[in-house]
Amino acid sequence: MKAALLQANEPLDSASLSGPIISFLRQKATQRIRLKKWEDLMNQTCWHKGRIFVSNEVDMDGPPKNFTYINENKLGKGVDMNAVIVGCECEDCVSQPVDGCCPGLLKFRRAYNESRRVKVMPGVPIYECNSKCRCGPDCANRVVQRGIQYDLCIFKTDNGRGWGVRTLQRINKNSFVMEYLGEIITTDEAEQRGVLYDKQGVTYLFDLDYVDDVYTIDAAHYGNISHFVNHSCDPNLQVYNVFIDNLDERLPRIALFAKRGIKAGEELTFDYKMTVDPVDAESTKMDLDFSRAGIEGSPIKRVHMECKCGVRNCRKYLF
């Protein structure tokens, strides 16, 4: 019996493996090398504290093609952004704010508590301290600009939803998780791209319609880890509009915060069709639409996209 166990535990040589098995192992080894190179490239490119890991135990897919990891939004043709020209004069924006700090100057209240967790309702804009402010980088009113603070993993889902993102660390409720980044384009350009994306069965268009529907973020080819975050009809992330070094209400930055405590190993999701209930929110200016085709007044007809989130209250279709 001992001899049999020893033989069973001996490493297998190529002579004892069939051709298909050898081919599979070689392909898998090549895939892991390619994914590791992609993982290293993203970690070398990103500015944030949180590390990125990549895992695919489902199929033989490698890194996505034609995708560039970026740290800030890329401005497309016809999009201009004016830098902020004034900041707060606070030495301590929490305990000794001057004129209400940056939010107060714009007639809003501070969005974060001392632990840098969001405390305002969805729909209320967040105004962070900017590059012109007197306070330093450790100011509690600088959250989104500090970038991702958690280790996250891009992984291949096993139910046909493509790549997804899960956290490798526990995330507390109301904590900032990531920013949705991409190429900022005009709505006219977004409508044209939306036709192609609908035919491909994918959607990366995020309308910046906090006040006016003028611009859209397209994360198809330029983006960060948010590119891989899947939809859920019962998500654990909430969208907020954030303003830092640009105060143009047509061009908010899109930040994702934890709706609840999120366990390590849990997939991160947000609702691609989220809207803010005016009864529960202090502002009705925010809603979210992840595609241009099918919008009111558009001649383009919506292609139904099946939802595979699998939650109990699933709406069955993304659009």
Side-chain angles (χ1 to χ4, degrees):
M1 176 66 72
K2 183 180 289 187
L5 288 173
L6 289 173
Q7 291 176 1
N9 290 326
E10 288 178 355
L12 296 174
D13 56 42
S14 59
S16 63
L17 299 176
S18 65
I21 294 178
I22 294 175
S23 177
F24 171 79
L25 293 176
R26 286 175 176 168
Q27 291 180 53
K28 199 66 181 176
T30 300
Q31 177 200 43
R32 286 173 177 165
I33 292 173
R34 293 175 61 208
L35 291 177
K36 186 63 171 66
K37 287 183 178 179
W38 180 42
E39 176 185 295
D40 291 342
L41 178 61
M42 287 189 289
N43 283 305
Q44 291 166 7
T45 303
C46 68
W47 301 338
H48 49 71
K49 172 185 174 182
R51 295 170 297 173
I52 300 173
F53 297 86
V54 180
S55 174
N56 184 355
E57 301 301 330
V58 174
D59 55 31
M60 301 304 295
D61 285 354
K65 298 179 180 179
N66 302 319
F67 178 74
T68 302
Y69 197 95
I70 58 176
N71 291 292
E72 55 189 2
N73 285 317
K74 174 182 173 67
L75 300 185
K77 183 178 180 180
V79 181
D80 296 315
M81 187 175 294
N82 297 319
V84 68
I85 58 174
V86 64
C88 73
E89 295 295 326
C90 315
E91 292 186 3
D92 188 329
C93 297
V94 175
S95 62
Q96 296 177 321
V98 178
D99 295 326
C101 192
C102 291
L105 293 173
L106 294 159
K107 309 304 180 184
F108 289 97
R109 61 193 179 97
R110 189 160 53 87
Y112 306 122
N113 62 20
E114 293 77 4
S115 300
R116 292 192 172 92
R117 298 183 193 175
V118 67
K119 63 179 183 179
V120 296
M121 296 289 291
V124 177
I126 296 175
Y127 289 90
E128 293 194 4
C129 291
N130 58 62
S131 58
K132 301 297 183 180
C133 292
R134 187 174 181 179
C135 58
D138 295 327
C139 171
N141 195 41
R142 298 180 185 270
V143 176
V144 173
Q145 60 195 274
R146 296 172 70 232
I148 299 170
Q149 301 293 301
Y150 304 96
D151 290 348
L152 306 175
C153 179
I154 300 171
F155 73 102
K156 199 63 179 291
T157 63
D158 59 5
N159 62 349
R161 292 180 300 126
W163 295 98
V165 177
R166 59 178 168 233
T167 177
L168 300 180
Q169 298 173 280
R170 174 175 172 76
I171 301 175
N172 291 318
K173 180 180 179 180
N174 296 329
S175 296
F176 169 67
V177 180
M178 69 181 71
E179 182 177 359
Y180 192 87
L181 294 178
E183 179 186 8
I184 301 180
I185 57 177
T186 64
T187 52
D188 290 338
E189 176 66 21
E191 190 162 346
Q192 294 178 32
R193 296 187 187 185
V195 177
L196 175 62
Y197 297 157
D198 283 346
K199 291 178 180 178
Q200 295 173 343
V202 296
T203 177
Y204 297 105
L205 298 176
F206 195 130
D207 291 346
L208 301 179
D209 49 7
Y210 173 61
V211 288
D212 292 311
D213 200 357
V214 179
Y215 301 112
T216 296
I217 295 180
D218 181 2
H221 301 297
Y222 297 93
N224 63 351
I225 197 169
S226 64
H227 169 99
F228 304 98
V229 175
N230 280 314
H231 160 84
S232 175
C233 297
D234 186 18
N236 51 23
L237 299 180
Q238 176 69 52
V239 175
Y240 282 83
N241 292 295
V242 181
F243 299 91
I244 306 175
D245 278 315
N246 160 62
L247 300 181
D248 187 340
E249 290 189 330
R250 302 171 304 167
L251 290 165
R253 291 169 65 163
I254 303 301
L256 301 173
F257 287 78
K259 290 184 65 175
R260 55 172 173 78
I262 304 174
K263 298 177 181 178
E266 188 174 345
E267 182 176 1
L268 301 175
T269 58
F270 68 98
D271 189 345
Y272 289 5
K273 290 293 291 181
M274 180 205 71
T275 57
V276 174
D277 188 338
V279 176
D280 296 330
E282 298 177 34
S283 168
T284 60
K285 290 183 177 179
M286 186 181 79
D287 82 298
L288 174 131
D289 191 346
F290 240 64
S291 181
R292 301 299 308 165
I295 62 174
E296 184 178 353
S298 170
I300 303 169
K301 294 183 178 180
R302 156 62 53 212
V303 177
H304 278 300
M305 190 178 298
E306 181 184 0
C307 179
K308 299 180 180 179
C309 73
V311 300
R312 187 174 181 179
N313 61 335
C314 178
R315 297 190 294 266
K316 306 304 180 185
Y317 291 96
L318 290 180
F319 310 106

